[in-house]
Amino acid sequence: MRKLILASILLVSGFIQAQEFQGLAVYESKTSTADITKAFSGNRDITPEMQKQIEERMRKMFEKTFILNFDKTASICKEEEKLDAPGQQGGGRMMSSMMGGGGTHYKNVKEKQFSVDKEFFGKEFVVKDSLPKYDWKLEGESKQIGSYTCFKATAVVKVSASDFRNFRPRNRDKKETDKKVETVKDTTKTSKTNFTEDWEMPKENTITAWYCPEIPINQGPENYWGLPGLILEVNDGKTVMLCTKVVMNSKEKVAIKPVGKGKQVTQKEYDEIVKKKTEEMMEMNSGPNGQRSIRFNR
């Protein structure tokens, strides 16, 4: 068995050394949305049946397929396009961008740079920055994914403030305790929405990845990278991305280069923009005048 795996690694390594080498991997992505729907439902009176319907719609919204094209040093990862359900076209795109989705992820592991095009509240951005550094811990555990033997790796990473997939309800017991020890009442809170009081974003997440040494490519979906083999599965606690197909040395070549147009920003700048606009939207929607639109100054 070990000889067979070694022979496969040598064969794939030979493909990779070819000047025009390209590979392709297809990933199916699913996101747990229970906490997200609770956070967005706020204090509105909704029945358990309505809650289930919302969760089901969001679950389907976040069942996605991604195509990763890669060569020896770079890759692009793009969501496979599909028709939106009636009435979800605009809202679906906005929600997708708030949940860390949308756009084409380009990363160059040699230059340790990435870029991704995003659309948020009708404005286009190109987020360009250094690739995140993963302090991977290689575990001894292994499992089969399709016909490939994969090995487990874990890393603790900082959570992006613009990725709302990581929403979780705030600990209400702690919230009540904090209220009891308050000595000064902040009167400005009464005019604000209580949205940020009801949910919180963790500062860190533990990532679990399964990589395949048989495919010695330092790549993975979205911004995941840095392991001695192609990442075939990754789980951040909320979202699972599982590879369902791999094509090595594909005949159809794809241009692997940065894409997108719009205002160029760093990841930190984009996070701040998303946070600010989301808070504005929640405050406006919680006011006495009901729904109001939010626009960027052109």
Side-chain angles (χ1 to χ4, degrees), residues 225-245:
W225 72 291
L227 284 167
L230 180 66
I231 297 173
L232 296 189
E233 181 180 332
V234 62
N235 185 339
D236 67 0
K238 287 286 187 179
T239 299
V240 178
M241 302 183 75
L242 175 65
C243 183
T244 57
K245 179 181 179 182

Side-chain angles (χ1 to χ4, degrees), residues 200-247:
E200 63 183 356
M201 185 83 74
K203 293 182 179 180
E204 294 180 336
N205 261 352
T206 298
I207 306 297
T208 300
W210 295 88
Y211 66 96
C212 179
E214 297 173 57
I215 309 175
I217 290 291
N218 190 9
Q219 290 284 354
E222 294 189 343
N223 269 3
Y224 296 111
W225 72 291
L227 284 167
L230 180 66
I231 297 173
L232 296 189
E233 181 180 332
V234 62
N235 185 339
D236 67 0
K238 287 286 187 179
T239 299
V240 178
M241 302 183 75
L242 175 65
C243 183
T244 57
K245 179 181 179 182
V246 176
V247 178

Side-chain angles (χ1 to χ4, degrees), residues 135-259:
D135 186 14
W136 292 111
K137 179 182 178 182
L138 304 185
E139 312 281 357
E141 194 175 341
S142 66
K143 72 173 182 178
Q144 289 292 122
I145 297 180
S147 60
Y148 295 101
T149 301
C150 298
F151 296 87
K152 183 179 179 180
T154 58
V156 177
V157 300
K158 184 179 179 182
V159 172
S160 169
S162 62
D163 189 345
F164 285 78
R165 288 176 295 187
N166 294 294
F167 266 151
R168 67 184 182 192
R170 189 179 296 277
N171 187 322
R172 294 187 180 277
D173 292 337
K174 182 178 183 300
K175 177 182 170 183
E176 293 301 320
T177 301
D178 292 343
K179 280 185 177 181
K180 289 178 182 179
V181 298
E182 268 188 326
T183 56
V184 180
K185 183 178 181 181
D186 184 357
T187 55
T188 61
K189 287 184 180 179
T190 57
S191 62
K192 301 272 186 178
T193 177
N194 63 358
F195 179 72
T196 55
E197 294 180 2
D198 292 334
W199 64 267
E200 63 183 356
M201 185 83 74
K203 293 182 179 180
E204 294 180 336
N205 261 352
T206 298
I207 306 297
T208 300
W210 295 88
Y211 66 96
C212 179
E214 297 173 57
I215 309 175
I217 290 291
N218 190 9
Q219 290 284 354
E222 294 189 343
N223 269 3
Y224 296 111
W225 72 291
L227 284 167
L230 180 66
I231 297 173
L232 296 189
E233 181 180 332
V234 62
N235 185 339
D236 67 0
K238 287 286 187 179
T239 299
V240 178
M241 302 183 75
L242 175 65
C243 183
T244 57
K245 179 181 179 182
V246 176
V247 178
M248 301 301 296
N249 204 28
S250 51
K251 294 181 180 180
E252 294 185 10
K253 306 303 178 184
V254 175
I256 299 178
K257 61 182 181 180
V259 299

Side-chain angles (χ1 to χ4, degrees), residues 26-166:
V26 180
Y27 295 84
E28 300 295 333
S29 173
K30 293 184 178 181
T31 298
S32 173
T33 60
D35 287 344
I36 300 171
T37 53
K38 288 178 183 176
F40 276 96
S41 64
N43 293 324
R44 288 176 293 178
D45 294 326
I46 60 174
T47 65
E49 185 176 333
M50 292 169 63
Q51 183 74 29
K52 280 186 178 181
Q53 291 176 353
I54 294 172
E55 290 179 10
E56 180 64 16
R57 288 176 183 175
M58 293 194 73
R59 182 185 65 79
K60 290 182 179 180
M61 186 185 298
F62 296 117
E63 287 182 349
K64 299 176 180 293
T65 300
F66 293 90
I67 309 296
L68 176 73
N69 293 94
F70 55 87
D71 58 25
K72 292 183 290 185
T73 60
S75 68
I76 54 173
C77 184
K78 186 175 182 179
E79 181 183 344
E80 186 176 65
E81 294 184 3
K82 61 182 179 180
L83 293 176
D84 292 320
Q88 291 185 350
Q89 288 86 350
R93 284 194 296 269
M94 187 185 78
M95 186 64 71
S96 179
S97 66
M98 291 174 71
M99 298 303 160
T104 299
H105 288 255
Y106 166 84
K107 59 180 181 288
N108 189 309
V109 297
K110 184 177 181 180
E111 298 176 357
K112 294 182 172 57
Q113 294 285 318
F114 81 91
S115 69
V116 57
D117 57 316
K118 295 277 191 178
E119 182 181 338
F120 189 65
F121 277 106
K123 189 173 179 66
E124 294 181 332
F125 298 91
V126 175
V127 182
K128 186 175 182 180
D129 215 322
S130 300
L131 277 171
K133 295 180 181 179
Y134 296 103
D135 186 14
W136 292 111
K137 179 182 178 182
L138 304 185
E139 312 281 357
E141 194 175 341
S142 66
K143 72 173 182 178
Q144 289 292 122
I145 297 180
S147 60
Y148 295 101
T149 301
C150 298
F151 296 87
K152 183 179 179 180
T154 58
V156 177
V157 300
K158 184 179 179 182
V159 172
S160 169
S162 62
D163 189 345
F164 285 78
R165 288 176 295 187
N166 294 294

